[in-house]
Amino acid sequence: MTAAAAANALQDKFASAISAHVSFRGEETLKVDPASLKTILSHCKSELGFDYLVDVSSLDHLGDDHAGNRFEMVYELYSYKDKIHLRVRSEVPDQTGKVESVVDLWPTANWHEREVYDMMGIDFSGHPDLRRILMWEGYPFFPLRKDFPLGGKETDVPDVAFTGTAPLAGGPFVTVPADATTVHREPRSRDL
Amino acid sequence: MSAPGNSIAAAYDSKIEGNIIFTQVDAAINWMRSNSLWPMPMGLACCAIELMASGASRFDIARFGSEVMRFSPRQSDVMIVAGTVTYKMALAVKRIWDQMAEPKWCIAMGACASSGGMYRSYAVLQGIDHLIPVDVYISGCPPRPEALLEGLMRLQRKIGKEHALADQKRELIAELTA
């Protein structure tokens, strides 16, 4: 089975729950309805042979020209049998901020979902051990959210850890995509 | 040989004469301390690789008396903070520093340990000197082993100028006078 055939099979079976199917340079991406996300991922594993979850990541659309919900989940699947990739995206409902955990399908999702929870603050229902993984228990912020400042915020958890604000000295220095020379692209202090 | 009963002649025995050195206690103690600085290798990032190279045969930190890397803070004299100190690690570094017995010194090796380096970030302590007193800062990202050895020699020179008790037993004196 090719990746396109797998994506088409999913689209035929879950037509109402799949809102978009994008093929770009051989990469198949499906955008699915959050209510059906777990059902579709379960079907991918049991029926379509996607036995390997490569990665789980999340996006923060704050400030984007984006009509839907703020957060979005991205699941990268791989089939060792057919050697094909499939990407499944799903928005996180703003009302609940919750996604169903897929740890019972792929145990590797355990730490991936903990990282998403730690960095983005997305909650996973059914996760067996949803603790922070990079920051420490008691850290009050979710540092990869778009509204979190790059230099950080001050916190103090006595006897555990503290944080301060990093001096940015005119920064953050960011690159921008440009067709002109590297002078236009290179990192400079800009208003984000 | 001295004649029996001639004790003055015995005191200037030719086996001893010429091997007596007059000095100050401070100078003698500092000379001994500075040539036997056992490091606590606080390797936290890529600087630790250069620290390992300094300990290996090509650069051979043993030439300066610092070859005995102690992984127990109780037995070490100088903490070499080699690498990025994250906030999550910071209090652990502080705790190990507190466990080191006096006299003790600290070398901040590399840009990250000295100032946070390129990590102007929510996760990184902006220099270990926010938590513990630093004696020598070494620039570089990472510094070459020669730079670490130069830092070590500077620390040795600095120790030579210190008061062996007032400067090097501060915590003890504070405890006794409290």
Side-chain angles (χ1 to χ4, degrees), chain A residues 133-134 136 143 148 150 152 160 162-164 166-168, chain B residues 87-88 90-91 119-126 130-131:
Chain A
I133 193 169
L134 298 170
W136 49 92
F148 185 84
L150 182 64
V160 179
F162 71 98
T163 59
L168 291 181
Chain B
Y87 285 114
K88 198 174 180 177
L91 291 191
Y119 299 105
R120 297 279 176 250
S121 158
Y122 63 91
V124 175
L125 181 66
Q126 302 295 303
H130 283 92
L131 275 182

Short mmCIF file of all heavy atoms in Angstrom, two decimals, chain A residues 133-134 136 143 148 150 152 160 162-164 166-168, chain B residues 87-88 90-91 119-126 130-131:
data_model
loop_
_atom_site.label_atom_id
_atom_site.label_comp_id
_atom_site.label_asym_id
_atom_site.label_seq_id
_atom_site.Cartn_x
_atom_site.Cartn_y
_atom_site.Cartn_z
N ILE A 133 8.00 16.94 31.89
CA ILE A 133 9.14 16.08 31.55
C ILE A 133 10.43 16.87 31.44
O ILE A 133 11.50 16.36 31.77
CB ILE A 133 8.85 15.30 30.26
CG1 ILE A 133 9.87 14.17 30.05
CG2 ILE A 133 8.79 16.22 29.05
CD1 ILE A 133 9.49 13.20 28.97
N LEU A 134 10.37 18.14 31.01
CA LEU A 134 11.59 18.95 30.88
C LEU A 134 11.68 19.97 32.02
O LEU A 134 12.70 20.04 32.70
CB LEU A 134 11.61 19.67 29.54
CG LEU A 134 11.63 18.74 28.32
CD1 LEU A 134 11.41 19.52 27.04
CD2 LEU A 134 12.94 17.99 28.24
N TRP A 136 10.28 21.44 35.76
CA TRP A 136 10.05 20.72 37.00
C TRP A 136 8.62 20.90 37.46
O TRP A 136 7.94 21.85 37.08
CB TRP A 136 11.01 21.21 38.08
CG TRP A 136 11.02 22.71 38.17
CD1 TRP A 136 10.25 23.48 38.98
CD2 TRP A 136 11.80 23.60 37.37
NE1 TRP A 136 10.51 24.79 38.75
CE2 TRP A 136 11.45 24.90 37.76
CE3 TRP A 136 12.75 23.41 36.37
CZ2 TRP A 136 12.04 26.01 37.18
CZ3 TRP A 136 13.32 24.53 35.79
CH2 TRP A 136 12.96 25.82 36.22
N PRO A 143 6.24 27.15 28.41
CA PRO A 143 7.16 28.09 27.76
C PRO A 143 7.18 28.09 26.23
O PRO A 143 7.73 29.01 25.66
CB PRO A 143 8.54 27.67 28.31
CG PRO A 143 8.37 26.32 28.86
CD PRO A 143 6.95 26.15 29.23
N PHE A 148 4.37 33.45 25.57
CA PHE A 148 5.40 33.37 26.61
C PHE A 148 6.66 34.06 26.11
O PHE A 148 7.14 33.76 25.01
CB PHE A 148 5.69 31.91 26.95
CG PHE A 148 6.65 31.72 28.09
CD1 PHE A 148 6.21 31.75 29.40
CD2 PHE A 148 8.01 31.52 27.86
CE1 PHE A 148 7.08 31.58 30.46
CE2 PHE A 148 8.89 31.35 28.91
CZ PHE A 148 8.42 31.38 30.21
N LEU A 150 10.44 35.10 25.27
CA LEU A 150 11.62 34.28 25.02
C LEU A 150 12.56 34.27 26.23
O LEU A 150 13.15 33.24 26.57
CB LEU A 150 12.36 34.81 23.79
CG LEU A 150 13.60 34.04 23.35
CD1 LEU A 150 13.22 32.64 22.92
CD2 LEU A 150 14.29 34.77 22.20
N GLY A 152 11.84 34.45 29.28
CA GLY A 152 11.30 33.78 30.45
C GLY A 152 10.67 34.73 31.45
O GLY A 152 10.68 35.95 31.28
N VAL A 160 13.37 23.67 45.05
CA VAL A 160 13.29 22.89 43.81
C VAL A 160 14.05 23.62 42.71
O VAL A 160 15.05 23.13 42.21
CB VAL A 160 11.83 22.65 43.38
CG1 VAL A 160 11.77 21.87 42.09
CG2 VAL A 160 11.09 21.90 44.49
N PHE A 162 14.38 27.85 40.66
CA PHE A 162 13.90 29.21 40.45
C PHE A 162 14.24 29.58 39.02
O PHE A 162 15.07 28.94 38.39
CB PHE A 162 14.57 30.18 41.43
CG PHE A 162 16.03 30.39 41.10
CD1 PHE A 162 16.41 31.51 40.38
CD2 PHE A 162 16.99 29.46 41.48
CE1 PHE A 162 17.75 31.69 40.05
CE2 PHE A 162 18.32 29.65 41.16
CZ PHE A 162 18.71 30.76 40.44
N THR A 163 13.58 30.60 38.49
CA THR A 163 13.98 31.12 37.19
C THR A 163 14.01 32.63 37.24
O THR A 163 13.34 33.25 38.08
CB THR A 163 13.02 30.69 36.06
OG1 THR A 163 11.71 31.17 36.37
CG2 THR A 163 12.99 29.18 35.90
N GLY A 164 14.78 33.21 36.35
CA GLY A 164 14.83 34.65 36.21
C GLY A 164 14.53 35.03 34.77
O GLY A 164 14.20 34.18 33.95
N ALA A 166 16.01 36.40 31.27
CA ALA A 166 17.28 36.53 30.58
C ALA A 166 17.36 37.88 29.88
O ALA A 166 16.39 38.32 29.27
CB ALA A 166 17.43 35.41 29.56
N PRO A 167 18.52 38.56 29.99
CA PRO A 167 18.67 39.83 29.27
C PRO A 167 18.81 39.57 27.78
O PRO A 167 19.63 38.75 27.37
CB PRO A 167 19.97 40.40 29.86
CG PRO A 167 20.73 39.21 30.32
CD PRO A 167 19.72 38.17 30.72
N LEU A 168 18.01 40.26 26.98
CA LEU A 168 18.05 39.98 25.54
C LEU A 168 18.86 41.02 24.78
O LEU A 168 19.11 40.85 23.59
CB LEU A 168 16.63 39.92 24.98
CG LEU A 168 15.86 38.69 25.47
CD1 LEU A 168 14.46 38.66 24.87
CD2 LEU A 168 16.57 37.40 25.12
N TYR B 87 18.23 26.14 34.85
CA TYR B 87 17.62 26.40 36.15
C TYR B 87 17.29 25.10 36.86
O TYR B 87 17.33 25.01 38.09
CB TYR B 87 16.34 27.23 35.98
CG TYR B 87 16.61 28.68 35.67
CD1 TYR B 87 16.26 29.23 34.45
CD2 TYR B 87 17.20 29.51 36.61
CE1 TYR B 87 16.50 30.56 34.17
CE2 TYR B 87 17.45 30.83 36.35
CZ TYR B 87 17.09 31.36 35.12
OH TYR B 87 17.33 32.67 34.86
N LYS B 88 16.96 24.07 36.08
CA LYS B 88 16.61 22.79 36.70
C LYS B 88 17.83 22.19 37.40
O LYS B 88 17.70 21.50 38.39
CB LYS B 88 16.09 21.84 35.61
CG LYS B 88 15.31 20.66 36.16
CD LYS B 88 14.71 19.86 35.02
CE LYS B 88 13.91 18.68 35.53
NZ LYS B 88 13.27 17.94 34.45
N ALA B 90 20.48 24.12 38.45
CA ALA B 90 21.22 25.14 39.19
C ALA B 90 21.31 24.83 40.68
O ALA B 90 22.39 24.92 41.27
CB ALA B 90 20.56 26.50 38.97
N LEU B 91 20.20 24.46 41.30
CA LEU B 91 20.25 24.23 42.74
C LEU B 91 21.03 22.98 43.08
O LEU B 91 21.58 22.87 44.18
CB LEU B 91 18.84 24.18 43.32
CG LEU B 91 18.10 25.53 43.30
CD1 LEU B 91 16.83 25.46 44.12
CD2 LEU B 91 18.96 26.66 43.81
N TYR B 119 22.62 31.16 25.26
CA TYR B 119 21.27 30.79 25.67
C TYR B 119 20.61 31.93 26.44
O TYR B 119 20.60 31.93 27.65
CB TYR B 119 21.30 29.53 26.51
CG TYR B 119 21.87 28.35 25.78
CD1 TYR B 119 23.14 27.89 26.04
CD2 TYR B 119 21.12 27.70 24.81
CE1 TYR B 119 23.67 26.81 25.35
CE2 TYR B 119 21.62 26.62 24.13
CZ TYR B 119 22.91 26.19 24.40
OH TYR B 119 23.42 25.12 23.72
N ARG B 120 20.10 32.91 25.71
CA ARG B 120 19.28 33.94 26.35
C ARG B 120 17.87 33.36 26.44
O ARG B 120 17.00 33.69 25.63
CB ARG B 120 19.30 35.23 25.52
CG ARG B 120 20.68 35.83 25.42
CD ARG B 120 21.01 36.62 26.67
NE ARG B 120 22.38 37.13 26.61
CZ ARG B 120 23.37 36.68 27.38
NH1 ARG B 120 23.15 35.75 28.25
NH2 ARG B 120 24.57 37.17 27.28
N SER B 121 17.67 32.51 27.40
CA SER B 121 16.50 31.64 27.36
C SER B 121 15.82 31.54 28.70
O SER B 121 16.44 31.78 29.75
CB SER B 121 16.95 30.26 26.89
OG SER B 121 16.03 29.28 27.27
N TYR B 122 14.56 31.17 28.69
CA TYR B 122 13.80 30.97 29.92
C TYR B 122 14.35 29.83 30.77
O TYR B 122 14.03 29.71 31.94
CB TYR B 122 12.33 30.67 29.58
CG TYR B 122 12.13 29.39 28.78
CD1 TYR B 122 11.90 28.20 29.45
CD2 TYR B 122 12.18 29.38 27.41
CE1 TYR B 122 11.73 27.02 28.75
CE2 TYR B 122 12.02 28.21 26.70
CZ TYR B 122 11.79 27.03 27.38
OH TYR B 122 11.62 25.88 26.68
N ALA B 123 15.16 28.94 30.17
CA ALA B 123 15.55 27.72 30.85
C ALA B 123 16.96 27.77 31.43
O ALA B 123 17.35 26.85 32.13
CB ALA B 123 15.44 26.54 29.88
N VAL B 124 17.73 28.83 31.11
CA VAL B 124 19.16 28.79 31.43
C VAL B 124 19.53 29.90 32.41
O VAL B 124 19.21 31.08 32.20
CB VAL B 124 19.99 28.92 30.14
CG1 VAL B 124 21.47 29.00 30.46
CG2 VAL B 124 19.72 27.74 29.23
N LEU B 125 20.22 29.50 33.48
CA LEU B 125 20.76 30.46 34.44
C LEU B 125 21.82 31.31 33.73
O LEU B 125 22.72 30.78 33.08
CB LEU B 125 21.39 29.70 35.62
CG LEU B 125 21.99 30.52 36.74
CD1 LEU B 125 20.90 31.29 37.47
CD2 LEU B 125 22.72 29.63 37.72
N GLN B 126 21.75 32.63 33.90
CA GLN B 126 22.61 33.54 33.14
C GLN B 126 23.94 33.73 33.84
O GLN B 126 24.33 34.85 34.20
CB GLN B 126 21.89 34.87 32.90
CG GLN B 126 20.58 34.71 32.15
CD GLN B 126 20.77 34.19 30.74
OE1 GLN B 126 21.50 34.78 29.95
NE2 GLN B 126 20.13 33.09 30.41
N HIS B 130 25.60 33.84 39.64
CA HIS B 130 24.38 34.22 40.35
C HIS B 130 24.19 33.38 41.60
O HIS B 130 23.43 33.76 42.49
CB HIS B 130 23.16 34.05 39.45
CG HIS B 130 23.02 35.15 38.44
ND1 HIS B 130 23.54 35.07 37.17
CD2 HIS B 130 22.44 36.37 38.52
CE1 HIS B 130 23.28 36.19 36.52
NE2 HIS B 130 22.62 36.99 37.31
N LEU B 131 24.82 32.22 41.64
CA LEU B 131 24.61 31.30 42.75
C LEU B 131 25.85 31.09 43.62
O LEU B 131 25.74 31.01 44.83
CB LEU B 131 24.16 29.93 42.23
CG LEU B 131 22.67 29.77 41.95
CD1 LEU B 131 22.39 28.36 41.50
CD2 LEU B 131 21.85 30.08 43.19
#
